[in-house]
Amino acid sequence: MEVLVCTTPGEFAYQQAEKPALTPGNTIIKIKRIGICGTDLHAFEGTQPFFNYPRILGHELAGEIVETDGAPGFSVGDAVTFIPYFNCGKCIACRNNKPNCCTSIRVSGVHIDGGMSEYLSVPSYSLVHGNGLSFDELALVEMLSIGAHGIRRANVGQNETVLVVGAGPIGLGTMEFARIAGANVIALDINDGRLAFCREKLGVAHTINALTDNVLEKLNEITNGDMPTVIVDATGNLRAINTAFSYLAHGGRYVLVGLQKGEISFSHPEFHKREATLMSSRNATRVDFEHVIDSMKAGYINPTTYITHRVTFGQVKDEFEGWLDPANGVIKAMVSLN
């Protein structure tokens, strides 16, 4: 079979590999769609934490079961996606029903080779039923689950004000699930095109450009001086993360979905007087995947809105670098395989 390997930062190579053989407790999927995510882009740039080369990227995947073992309720020919965070089942996190932050987690396309290939073997426990969704929709479930998990971590309630910093794909999904939870959403970014997408495609009422607007004044105006009760960072940008501490309401929660390599810093007195809560949000769980699929089925989300660029598997090597350029307006690039 053909695979696409990120050999070093900035370099891809198509290679031939053996098609995976069925082993106990695993399922072989014929890959039909690959969503390109920020993790893939950062790996290509060389800025992705927890990463080494060479690596086959890809974890936003949809496909068809061709062989399976140990997967009750699943059959050959089923359309599926899967939860690409493979956990040990034994550590403190797994025992406490938090497999998404397993101490020895192996994320497909990050710690181990992923799905930029014609076939992929995955643990059968990770399979997720397609429930009638298209391959395009199924390939977007993982991306949207990241935001759904962050909103669930923050326990967002009706009529809260949620500020989402970063209007990339993860931030956009976070906005969707904040809205579904009943919150009033504010989008903050530095890209006018992304902010226009928030308004026009997602119906976000309030958008702020951090480069051209006075963010504190805008937030005070929008919230009548209360400030956002929940802030979610979806940038992974150190300056954005540190600055957003000053936007938080008293009693508020700050959720770090974005990830960067450095150390964050903030004023202890300012944070303390707010009795604020700081938390990270890593990956997602089956509950989040099911919430995303249910939301798609109910029509709360139109997932294909996110797909702005389409290529075949054979075009990825030549097209990939262009997706890093904000001028190209990429929200989600989707790769199709036969």
Side-chain angles (χ1 to χ4, degrees), residues 2 11 35 69 78 83 87 101-102 105 129-130 140 189 216 227-228 257 298-299 305 333:
E2 190 171 42
E11 295 292 335
D69 178 81
D78 284 355
I83 302 171
N87 62 294
C101 60
C102 168
I105 200 165
H129 284 287
L140 291 166
D189 201 273
L216 281 171
M227 303 302 282
V257 174
T305 298

Side-chain angles (χ1 to χ4, degrees), residues 31 38 44 70 106 115 122 142 197 208 218 238 243 259:
I31 302 299
F44 183 78
R106 298 180 306 151
V122 303
E142 191 274 342
F197 186 94
I208 303 173
K218 284 278 192 179
L238 182 59
T243 302
L259 177 65

Side-chain angles (χ1 to χ4, degrees), residues 15 34 40 47 53 66 68 70 100 127 157 194 207 219 223 248 255 262 267 285 291 299 301:
Q15 298 177 5
I34 306 165
D40 302 323
T47 58
Y53 302 85
V66 294
T68 187
N100 55 300
L127 294 174
R194 289 286 179 93
T207 60
L219 289 173
T223 65
L248 189 62
V255 185
S267 165
T285 68
H291 181 34
I301 294 176

Side-chain angles (χ1 to χ4, degrees), residues 167 172 191-204 305-308 331:
L172 297 173
N191 185 312
D192 278 330
R194 289 286 179 93
L195 293 172
F197 186 94
C198 294
R199 294 189 298 271
E200 296 164 10
K201 301 295 186 181
L202 304 188
V204 175
T305 298
Y306 294 92
I307 302 173
T308 54
I331 299 295

